[in-house]
Each structure stands twice: as structure tokens, then as C-alpha cells.
């Protein structure tokens, strides 16, 4: 199979003609994709000659050849000046403030409004009323803008089209970051110059790595007391494990911060005029920063030498790389996911934002440099992926990554990877195979929209009137390509809710909408208590949805005590031999199942920790009853008998059994499988697992003892504690069940000066006395206990 890597085509002539460019036109017209294995007859019959040509030289190793679509001159010109970026960071690092400045300097908005401004208008990207009230981003918001970027080599200006997605910083809304990074080609990782790398920064870094998203780092809030960008760069290298070096040096710090020195072009850059509109460049480097500028430029070259062969060769030969060679190396290493150039600035003070925008255009990948693949649904699951090319003339492939209930119906955000999406055209949902028409096509600017007639490859848009689910792939019908969806974490906290007064249709309408929009928000009815249970990623997550139900649907609800998402698991193997017999007159029920159940470790490839394996030989159980056994197994896992929570980490192996020619049925085998597992469940020595959270607390240093004591009292395990200047940071692992009400306690022990964030880490066995308490509490809820 041909291997595709991130190429290095840039935005100027020196990059366009780079030998590393993947955009160079190829004379090859076909792309061979080979794999070993049998090809189903159904897929062979369905193959269209236009799309897939099969050349079978021998029965064991067929080769499939796909047409290769070259990028036209128009594609090259458009894609090379296209950037799709996300802005991600820890809470309160200044993401939305930075995005507001980007929109202002690119001319998308006329006035700057602050996140918690006195005018009560709020930032443009915080369009929801709740976001403006609370001063946090809840939903990711998409926009687009044009920017005339200065080349780091010649200083010439070129116009770029930039799609931006501003993401939330709170871990409760991590799915918004997840699906944004799934479809983006680059990202800006924003860090606070004082706090540095924090807990959510680490989570965002993990998400960027999951989807191979190159990033530039922007150290914000350089005007704050205690700003130390060199310590933050050290944290990026040590905590995030990625090579990083400053490409700028600050001119002044804290209150004196007034500009930066560009270490690549060796120029001093200042912001002057109202709101920093005028960017003034000077060849004269201030004497006060000359020494540190030379030192940091040497460090930049040293870091590049470790990740780029060309710079390494120059350093070995005692040659100093030129500005052009440094810029080329930064781009190669950044797009190749080996390096992150670090920019400095202060968004709130309107300083050094424009040079960072130039860096986005200079060093981040364009849509053609991302390795994008799809799976041909007509081929087996182990068939190699098919690479996609962002050519406008290729068959359409687009991914729906976000759903939203708009004023005119469902709004579906899409990223077009290949081909062109046109208004009024018909597209096919690869999952359901349904044909739908595109009635309206728009480009989003936060909550505003602009109608367009077509969207080319590499673009992000939104469509109305297309029913689908998040993660669905759309094609033009000439191919059977399907793209992988984003990673969706499991909910960790649940809450019982019921409407006040008489239940109205709006109650279920709101829950259905929120479930469809947010894959981490789950709703189910408890069979015993008949209560409606909502589940999510944290207390704030559920609070926001309860508030939205009241504001958007007029439904006031009362809530029960938050419930933790406990799990049950087995710890040893147990064999089962169960016969299900029932005679009720006429045809009865008969099924016998034989096999064993054993513990199973989490499989990172399939992301599963439960499995069903069929090794029945000789037809002792007819093959048409095997799916019923599997269904019964997964049904039995839905509720354990210790605490009534789902069972994880278990595999069932079905070895043997028997059936009756008349009395056996799918229902009988499903019931037999459920009963067999419940019969031997106690023999597997089951235990209860509880969710463990990684908690990060930041507070003034004088309260260190009180904070550590409060975490220890909640069964916390201290992982790390760092004291800097007048504040300290503490990292700990704490059971979620002990974290309820911690925000109030933390305010009390720190006189309101402390703050904390937490994210799910893993499930671990509960202590023996807690297991007994949970088992006893569950028994009291059972119907026989009530009698």
C-alpha cells in the first residue's frame, strides 16, 4: 500500500517548489491498494467499474486499484492559501479573547467585546446567553476570515482564508474539543504565561496527538505579574513531551510588555494605535533584549537540529542556518508533528496577535498536507484504508462532525475532504444509504450564517435539512467510502430528574435534542424506580443542560442526588452449563448453552472491554441461534447483581450446547444465555469499580497545607505539588464520589482564592467496606426488599 505522509508545501515559492511537496502533480493515474484476504461475492457484484477496478492475479492476494485524482492548478492555488485551525487550551487561558482579536484584526467584527465585559455584549464566539452570563465557552463555535499574512522570508503579503473553531476549555465539554480536532488541519495551543501547562492542557495535547494535528503554541497573558514564558516552554518540553522553542522574545514583561522580537526574521515588532491596529516592524533590536534574543535564537536552532536533518547537517558543519532555512525547517518539523513553534503575546492588551496569525499561515498545514483516509464499506474491515485527495473534481466525501438545533431545523456542520458539495445536489449517507437533497448550504460566523452555492474540498460548512447523526459520512453515491468518527468518552456522573408539575412534550423534546447534539449526554429510564436518569461528564455539564431546558423549552425540573457511574467486573473464570426449559402448552422453550466466562483486558484497537466468542463445532447450536446468544450476553452485561450497574471487562466463550427441533427458538437461547451468566456470576468473584478523577487545584501558597488536607480527607492520592512565586499547584487522584461539594469546601479553606478542575482518569476497585455499603443500598431498592 502506498504510504502518504504530511508533505511540506508552503505558501510561498520556496515552499511550493519544495522536494517534499505532496502537491506535485503526478503522472500516475491509478493508486493500487492491496490486502490479503478473501473478497465477499456481494462486494464483487456491487463494484462499479468507474470507481474500483479489480485485478486478481491469484485467488489469495487480489489487488484493488482506485482512480487517482490530480490536484488542478485551481486546487493548488486555493488549498495552498487555506487553513483550518482550532483554538484550544485550559480554562481561562484566553482562547475566546484571542479569537475575538483575530476576528477584529481580520475585519470580521467591527468592535472588540470582552468575555466578561461591562457592556454585557460578550465575545462574538460566545453566542449563547448562558456563555455570556457565566463567562465560559460551552459550545464550540465556527467562523471564517481572511488574513494578509507576511512571509517569514520576504515579508511579502499573501491573502489566506482561515476557518477557525473556538473550543471550550472546561473538561465537562471535552467532546466539543474532540470533534473539532477530528476535522481540523492545525491548532493553536494557548497557554497562560503564569500557570503554564495545566490539567486540561494535557488533555487537549492528547486529543491533538490522537488526530495527528500539528500545533503552534501561544503563550498568552504576557502582561500578567509573574509571567515567565521560559518556564512554560520548559513545561511544554517536559510535560507534553514535544520539542518546542520560542520564535519570539518579549520586549519588556508584565506591565512593561510592549512587543516582541521575531527570531526568524530578526525584527522588532510593536503594536501601536487604537487597539493595536498598526503593526510596526523595526530592524533595530532594543539593547535590553539583544543578549537574550541571541541566546534564544541559538536555542531555536539547537531544537530544530534535533528534529530536522537539514538543520542538523548545517550545525554539524559549524554553519549558521539562514533565515530561509530556519523558516523552512520550522514548517517541516511542525507539519511533521515533531516540533511546536512558540509565540508570545497578550490578547487582552492587543499585543503580538498579528505576528501569531502570520505564524498560523506560515507554519501550520494546509488541507492537502493532512493524511486523510477512508474505508471502502464494500470491503472487509481489515482492508487497508483508501487515501483521499482534496481535489474538487474527485467524488464527494464529507464528514458530519457536529449537530445543532437551529432556527430553521437541524444544522449539520460538515468538513468536505474530497469533491465539491453543492446546494440543491443529492448526497448519500454512507451509514444508512439514504439519499438526501442539500436544500441550504451556509458558512458559519458564530451564530450568524452566510449562504453559499458550493463548498470545495478542505472547507468547513453547515447544511440545513439533512437528518443524520454525528460522525456520519456523506458521498455523491459514486463511492462507498466511510470515514472513522471521533472518540467519545463515557459519562461519569448521573442525575435523576423530573419535571415540576405536569409533564409536557417539551420535556422529552429537549432531552432528545440534547442527546442528538452531544454524544456524551445520555438519557435512560431506570426500570425499577421509573425515574428519568441523565448522565454526563461532570456536575457543570448536567447543570448547563438543566438550565437550558428551563430557558429554551420552559421546562423546570427537580433533580435527585447525583449518582456516580459505578461499574462491575469479574475477577476469575467460571464455567457454565445451563439448560432453559419451559412448557406452556403447544410449542415450549428449550435451549442448552455450555462454555465459560473470563476476565478481559481493554483492547485499545477496538476500544472494547467486553466480547462474545463462538467456538461451537458440529452444529450443536444452529448458526441462526448464535446471534441470539450474543444478544443475551450483552443484555446480561447491562446490569450486574451487586449494585445494578453495567458489567465491564468480561468475555463469554460459547463452546457447546443443544437444541430441540420444535421447542428451540431465538428467544429461548437469549434467555438461556442471560440465565447461564447470572447463575455463575457469584463464582466469578465480581467486584465494584468506581471512577477516579485527576484533580488539579491552584491556590495561593499560604493555603497549601489546607488544600492537601482537604484532598486527603476525600481519599485523594497526591501525585504532584509545585510551588511557584506566590501560588502552588497540586495534582491528585480522587474518587468521583468524594468530589461532590468540593468547590464549596475549597472556597472555604482558600478564602475564595482557590480553583480546581478535574477530568476522568480510570475506574478502580472500591474499598471492601464501600462495596458492602453499595451492595446493601442496592438490595434495598429491589422489589422483594420493599415487600
Amino acid at each position: 500500500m502506498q504510504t502518504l505522509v504530511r508533505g511540506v508545501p508552503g505558501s510561498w515559492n520556496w515552499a511550493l517548489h519544495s522536494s517534499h511537496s505532496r502537491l506535485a502533480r503526478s503522472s500516475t493515474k491509478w493508486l493500487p491498494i492491496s490486502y490479503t484476504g478473501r473478497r465477499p461475492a456481494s462486494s464483487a457484484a456491487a463494484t462499479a467499474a468507474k470507481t474500483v477496478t479489480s485485478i486478481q492475479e491469484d485467488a489469495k492476494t487480489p489487488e484493488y486499484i482506485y482512480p487517482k485524482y490530480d490536484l488542478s492548478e485551481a486546487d493548488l492555488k486555493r488549498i495552498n492559501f487555506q487553513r483550518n485551525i482550532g483554538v484550544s487550551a485550559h480554562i481561562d487561558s484566553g482562547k475566546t479573547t484571542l479569537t475575538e482579536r483575530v476576528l477584529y484584526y481580520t475585519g470580521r467584527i467591527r468592535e472588540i467585546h470582552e468575555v466578561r465585559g461591562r457592556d454585557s455584549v460578550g465575545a462574538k464566539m460566545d453566542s449563547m446567553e448562558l456563555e455570556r452570563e457565566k463567562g465560559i465557552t460551552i459550545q464550540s463555535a465556527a467562523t471564517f476570515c481572511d488574513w494578509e499574512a507576511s512571509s517569514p522570508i520576504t515579508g511579502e503579503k499573501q491573502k489566506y482564508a482561515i476557518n477557525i473553531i473556538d473550543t471550550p476549555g472546561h473538561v465537562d465539554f471535552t467532546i466539543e474539543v474532540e470533534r473539532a480536532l477530528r476535522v481540523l488541519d492545525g491548532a493553536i495551543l494557548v497557554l497562560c504565561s503564569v500557570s503554564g501547562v495545566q490539567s486540561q492542557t494535557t488533555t487537549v495535547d492528547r486529543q491533538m496527538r490522537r488526530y495527528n494535528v500539528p500545533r503552534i503554541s501561544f503563550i498568552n497573558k504576557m502582561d500578567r505579574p509573574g509571567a515567565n514564558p521560559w518556564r512554560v516552554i520548559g513545561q511544554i518540553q517536559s510535560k507534553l513531551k514535544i520539542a518546542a522553542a520560542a520564535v519570539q522574545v518579549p520586549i519588556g514583561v508584565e506591565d512593561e510588555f510592549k512587543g516582541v522580537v521575531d527570531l526568524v526574521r530578526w525584527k522588532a515588532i510593536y503594536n501601536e494605535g487604537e487597539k493595536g491596529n498598526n503593526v510596526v516592524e523595526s530592524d533595530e533590536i532594543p539593547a535590553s533584549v539583544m543578549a537574550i534574543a541571541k541566546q534564544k535564537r541559538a536555542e531555536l536552532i539547537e531544537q530544530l537540529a534535533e528534529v530536522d536533518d537539514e538543520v542538523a547537517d548545517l550545525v554539524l558543519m559549524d554553519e549558521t542556518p539562514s533565515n530561509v532555512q530556519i523558516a523552512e525547517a520550522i514548517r517541516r518539523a511542525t507539519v511533521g508533528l515533531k516540533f511546536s513553534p512558540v509565540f508570545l503575546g497578550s490578547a487582552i492588551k492587543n499585543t503580538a496577535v498579528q505576528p501569531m496569525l502570520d505564524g498560523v499561515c506560515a507554519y501550520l498545514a494546509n488541507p492537502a498536507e493532512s493524511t486523510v483516509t477512508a474505508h471502502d464499506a464494500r470491503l472487509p474491515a481489515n482492508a487497508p484504508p483508501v487515501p483521499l485527495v482534496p481535489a474538487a473534481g474527485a467524488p464527494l466525501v464529507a464528514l458530519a462532525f457536529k449537530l445543532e438545533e437551529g432556527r430553521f431545523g437541524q444544522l449539520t456542520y460538515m468538513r468536505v475532504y474530497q469533491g465539491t458539495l453543492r446546494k440543491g445536489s443529492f448526497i448519500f449517507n454512507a451509514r444508512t444509504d439514504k439519499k438526501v437533497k442539500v436544500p441550504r448550504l451556509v458558512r458559519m460566523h458564530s451564530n450568524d450564517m452566510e449562504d453559499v452555492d458550493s463548498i470545495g474540498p478542505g472547507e468547513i460548512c453547515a447544511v440545513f435539512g439533512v437528518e443524520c447523526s454525528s460522525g456520519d459520512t456523506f458521498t455523491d453515491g459514486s463511492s462507498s467510502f466511510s470515514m472513522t468518527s471521533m472518540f467519545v468518552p463515557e459519562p461519569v456522573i448521573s442525575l435523576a430528574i423530573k419535571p415540576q408539575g405536569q409533564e409536557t412534550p417539551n420535556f422529552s423534546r429537549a432531552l432528545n435534542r440534547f442527546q442528538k447534539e452531544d454524544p456524551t449526554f445520555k438519557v435512560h429510564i431506570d426500570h425499577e424506580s421509573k425515574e428519568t436518569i441523565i448522565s454526563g461528564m461532570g456536575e457543570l455539564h448536567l447543570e448547563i443542560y438543566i438550565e437550558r431546558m428551563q430557558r429554551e423549552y420552559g421546562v423546570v425540573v427537580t433533580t435527585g442526588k447525583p449518582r456516580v457511574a459505578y461499574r462491575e467486573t469479574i475477577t476469575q473464570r467460571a464455567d457454565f452449563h445451563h439448560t432453559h426449559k419451559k412448557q406452556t402448552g403447544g410449542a415450549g422453550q428449550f435451549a442448552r448453552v455450555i462454555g465459560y466466562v473470563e476476565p478481559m483486558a481493554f483492547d485499545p484497537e477496538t476500544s472494547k472491554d467486553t466480547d462474545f466468542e463462538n467456538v461451537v463445532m458440529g452444529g450443536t447450536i444452529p448458526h441462526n441461534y448464535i446471534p441470539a446468544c450474543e444478544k443475551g450476553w450483552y443484555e446480561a452485561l447491562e446490569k450486574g447483581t451487586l449494585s445494578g450497574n453495567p458489567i465491564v471487562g468480561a468475555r463469554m466463550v460459547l463452546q457447546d450446547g443443544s437444541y430441540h427441533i420444535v421447542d428451540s427458538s431465538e428467544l429461548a437461547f437469549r434467555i438461556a444465555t442471560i440465565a447461564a451468566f447470572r447463575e455463575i456470576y457469584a463464582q466469578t468473584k465480581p467486584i465494584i469499580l468506581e471512577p477516579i478523577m485527576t484533580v488539579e487545584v491552584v491556590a495561593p501558597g499560604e493555603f497549601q497545607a489546607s488544600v492537601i488536607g482537604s484532598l486527603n480527607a476525600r481519599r485523594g492520592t497526591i501525585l504532584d505539588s509545585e510551588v511557584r512565586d506566590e501560588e502552588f499547584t497540586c495534582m491528585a487522584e480522587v474518587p468521583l464520589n468524594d468530589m461532590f461539594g468540593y468547590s464549596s469546601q475549597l472556597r472555604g479553606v482558600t478564602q475564595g482564592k482557590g480553583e480546581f478542575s478535574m477530568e476522568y482518569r480510570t475506574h478502580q476497585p472500591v474499598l471492601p467496606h464501600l462495596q458492602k455499603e453499595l451492595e446493601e443500598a442496592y438490595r434495598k431498592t429491589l422489589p422483594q426488599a420493599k415487600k
Side-chain angles (χ1 to χ4, degrees):
M1 175 180 162
Q2 179 174 330
T3 304
L4 293 182
V5 296
R6 288 186 181 272
V8 201
S11 311
W12 304 280
N13 291 331
W14 56 269
L16 274 170
H17 299 295
S18 167
S19 60
H20 297 269
S21 176
R22 199 183 109 196
L23 294 184
R25 294 177 64 87
S26 169
S27 59
T28 307
K29 296 297 180 186
W30 299 90
L31 178 64
I33 305 290
S34 62
Y35 78 99
T36 303
R38 292 180 301 166
R39 187 179 185 202
S42 60
S43 69
T47 302
K50 180 181 176 183
T51 309
V52 181
T53 302
S54 171
I55 300 176
Q56 188 168 353
E57 295 179 356
D58 61 72
K60 292 184 179 178
T61 313
E63 188 174 80
Y64 299 94
I65 298 181
Y66 293 82
K68 182 180 178 183
Y69 296 90
D70 287 333
L71 291 163
S72 65
E73 292 297 330
D75 287 334
L76 286 168
K77 186 176 180 181
R78 179 181 56 80
I79 287 172
N80 207 47
F81 299 103
Q82 173 74 46
R83 297 290 181 270
N84 297 315
I85 63 167
V87 184
S88 302
H90 186 84
I91 316 155
D92 288 338
S93 294
K95 298 178 302 301
T96 306
T97 304
L98 175 64
T99 309
E100 187 82 357
R101 268 59 182 181
V102 169
L103 295 179
Y104 176 71
Y105 293 134
T106 56
R108 289 295 291 154
I109 57 176
R110 295 181 179 180
E111 292 291 333
I112 294 176
H113 296 286
E114 304 304 341
V115 174
R116 294 187 179 93
R118 295 178 182 176
D119 56 6
S120 301
V121 175
K124 175 63 182 176
M125 301 304 275
D126 286 347
S127 58
M128 194 187 297
E129 187 182 345
L130 262 174
E131 292 178 317
R132 294 177 174 178
E133 280 184 19
K134 294 181 177 289
I136 60 171
T137 302
I138 295 170
Q139 287 186 333
S140 58
T143 187
F144 62 96
C145 58
D146 294 324
W147 175 246
E148 285 196 353
S150 299
S151 161
I153 310 305
T154 62
E156 293 177 2
K157 290 189 175 291
Q158 294 278 8
K159 191 174 183 179
Y160 284 79
I162 305 175
N163 285 312
I164 303 172
I165 298 182
D166 177 35
T167 62
H170 203 286
V171 69
D172 285 21
F173 311 109
T174 190
I175 188 64
E176 295 288 331
V177 187
E178 196 80 40
R179 53 186 170 193
L181 292 176
R182 169 65 183 84
V183 298
L184 294 171
D185 305 311
I188 303 170
L189 180 63
V190 184
L191 301 106
C192 174
S193 62
V194 178
S195 303
V197 173
Q198 297 168 274
S199 59
Q200 185 66 1
T201 315
T202 311
T203 304
V204 168
D205 170 72
R206 190 163 57 243
Q207 291 168 322
M208 290 178 182
R209 292 175 189 271
R210 182 179 292 134
Y211 302 114
N212 294 326
V213 178
R215 90 285 293 266
I216 65 171
S217 302
F218 181 72
I219 299 179
N220 193 23
K221 302 187 178 182
M222 284 296 297
D223 60 301
R224 275 188 62 182
N228 186 346
W230 318 123
R231 182 180 60 81
V232 178
I233 293 172
Q235 288 182 339
I236 295 173
Q237 295 168 341
S238 61
K239 293 186 177 181
L240 303 185
K241 301 292 189 295
I242 185 170
V247 293
Q248 295 174 341
V249 166
I251 301 173
V253 290
E254 300 180 0
D255 291 343
E256 301 297 318
F257 179 64
K258 55 187 177 182
V260 294
V261 174
D262 187 331
L263 299 179
V264 179
R265 297 169 56 203
W266 203 245
K267 287 182 181 289
I269 304 173
Y270 304 92
N271 285 84
E272 294 182 355
E274 186 186 0
K275 299 178 182 176
N277 281 315
N278 300 326
V279 180
V280 178
E281 294 185 355
S282 171
D283 291 328
E284 186 179 337
I285 309 298
S288 59
V289 297
M290 179 64 79
I292 194 168
K294 288 180 178 178
Q295 176 194 337
K296 294 304 175 183
R297 183 178 166 99
E299 287 181 14
L300 171 63
I301 293 170
E302 184 184 322
Q303 283 287 338
L304 287 172
E306 292 182 11
V307 295
D308 186 79
D309 292 340
E310 290 186 26
V311 175
D313 291 342
L314 291 170
V315 171
L316 287 173
M317 291 186 289
D318 288 332
E319 294 181 19
T320 302
S322 66
N323 293 357
V324 175
Q325 290 169 326
I326 292 174
E328 287 180 338
I330 292 173
R331 180 172 175 78
R332 277 195 301 270
T334 305
V335 172
L337 306 172
K338 300 175 185 175
F339 180 76
S340 177
V342 182
F343 293 78
L344 314 172
S346 171
I348 196 75
K349 296 293 184 182
N350 310 312
T351 306
V353 174
Q354 295 96 323
M356 185 274 297
L357 262 178
D358 291 342
V360 166
C361 301
Y363 303 130
L364 288 182
N366 64 44
E369 293 173 297
S370 299
T371 302
V372 180
T373 59
H375 172 69
D376 193 333
R378 294 169 297 187
L379 302 183
N382 62 349
V386 182
L388 302 180
V389 181
L396 174 71
V397 180
L399 180 69
F401 66 93
K402 176 180 164 72
L403 308 179
E404 200 175 282
E405 193 71 26
R407 289 167 288 178
F408 310 103
Q410 180 174 306
L411 185 67
T412 306
Y413 288 78
M414 284 192 190
R415 162 73 191 263
V416 179
Y417 284 98
Q418 182 175 282
T420 304
L421 182 63
R422 292 183 173 85
K423 178 182 176 183
S425 63
F426 286 94
I427 56 177
F428 290 80
N429 188 324
R431 180 177 59 86
T432 63
D433 206 28
K434 285 185 178 178
K435 178 181 177 182
V436 291
K437 187 177 181 180
V438 181
R440 188 180 177 193
L441 193 59
V442 297
R443 297 182 72 185
M444 300 302 298
H445 177 44
S446 187
N447 58 335
D448 298 329
M449 55 195 72
E450 178 183 302
D451 283 276
V452 291
D453 293 325
S454 65
I455 289 288
E459 293 275 3
I460 292 172
C461 65
V463 297
F464 279 106
V466 175
E467 280 296 319
C468 65
S469 299
S470 184
D472 281 356
T473 304
F474 286 90
T475 68
D476 57 5
S478 64
S479 66
S480 300
F481 293 158
S482 178
M483 302 188 72
T484 56
S485 186
M486 68 288 297
F487 170 77
V488 179
E490 285 296 313
V492 295
I493 186 172
S494 300
L495 202 61
I497 63 169
K498 63 178 180 181
Q500 286 184 7
Q502 189 174 359
E503 184 173 329
T504 64
N506 279 354
F507 179 69
S508 57
R509 195 174 292 138
L511 294 178
N512 288 336
R513 172 194 164 186
F514 297 151
Q515 272 192 102
K516 197 170 186 180
E517 289 182 358
D518 185 352
T520 60
F521 180 75
K522 304 285 178 69
V523 182
H524 74 276
I525 305 293
D526 188 275
H527 296 299
E528 279 146 12
S529 65
K530 305 301 179 187
E531 290 180 315
T532 301
I533 309 294
I534 58 174
S535 305
M537 300 304 296
E539 286 182 278
L540 178 63
H541 191 202
L542 300 183
E543 281 174 18
I544 292 296
Y545 278 119
I546 290 168
E547 184 74 18
R548 287 183 64 187
M549 287 178 73
Q550 181 175 347
R551 294 187 181 210
E552 298 172 27
Y553 289 89
V555 177
V556 180
V557 298
T558 54
T559 60
K561 184 180 181 292
R563 303 199 319 177
V564 175
Y566 290 104
R567 294 287 182 266
E568 297 182 24
T569 190
I570 62 176
T571 58
Q572 68 179 31
R573 171 176 161 158
D575 298 323
F576 61 84
H577 186 298
H578 182 79
T579 303
H580 171 65
K581 281 186 190 177
K582 192 173 183 182
Q583 198 68 38
T584 55
Q589 293 180 13
F590 177 86
R592 178 175 292 135
V593 288
I594 302 169
Y596 63 88
V597 174
E598 63 179 359
M600 175 184 172
F602 177 78
D603 186 348
E605 288 187 10
T606 59
S607 299
K608 291 182 179 180
D609 56 4
T610 56
D611 193 22
F612 176 86
E613 191 175 338
N614 169 36
V615 293
V616 174
M617 304 290 287
T620 52
I621 298 179
H623 65 85
N624 56 310
Y625 292 147
I626 299 298
C629 295
E630 183 174 1
K631 186 178 180 183
W633 163 244
Y634 285 113
E635 191 175 322
L637 292 176
E638 290 177 3
K639 203 165 193 178
T641 56
L642 294 182
S643 60
N645 288 290
I647 301 167
V648 298
R651 176 193 289 112
M652 173 177 277
V653 179
L654 185 63
Q655 296 173 304
D656 201 359
S658 61
Y659 72 103
H660 189 276
I661 193 70
V662 175
D663 291 349
S664 289
S665 62
E666 291 185 2
L667 175 63
F669 274 96
R670 183 169 64 84
I671 294 173
T673 307
I674 296 171
F677 179 56
R678 287 180 178 163
E679 189 176 67
I680 62 157
Y681 190 51
Q683 300 173 31
T684 63
K685 300 281 182 72
I687 58 173
I688 299 174
L689 305 174
E690 65 178 342
I692 305 296
M693 313 299 284
T694 299
V695 179
E696 181 184 60
V697 183
V698 180
E702 62 195 276
F703 303 112
Q704 182 176 2
S706 301
V707 169
I708 291 176
S710 69
L711 290 172
N712 286 332
R714 293 173 180 265
R715 294 194 292 136
T717 303
I718 308 299
L719 302 177
D720 185 28
S721 182
E722 180 186 357
V723 180
R724 55 175 182 268
D725 300 330
E726 296 181 355
E727 70 175 17
F728 87 102
T729 302
C730 180
M731 296 283 291
E733 287 185 356
V734 191
L736 175 62
N737 193 44
D738 293 271
M739 286 302 295
F740 294 123
Y742 183 63
S743 56
S744 300
Q745 184 187 6
L746 182 64
R747 281 195 296 268
V749 300
T750 63
Q751 299 175 10
K753 299 174 184 175
E755 60 182 40
F756 82 100
S757 62
M758 66 177 182
E759 66 171 317
Y760 169 75
R761 177 165 177 76
T762 185
H763 270 77
Q764 290 181 1
V766 301
L767 297 173
H769 74 277
L770 286 177
Q771 176 149 331
K772 287 182 181 177
E773 289 177 13
L774 291 169
E775 289 181 37
E776 186 62 34
Y778 177 61
R779 283 194 206 100
K780 290 178 181 177
T781 65
L782 298 177
Q784 59 266 31
K786 292 176 182 177
K787 290 178 184 177

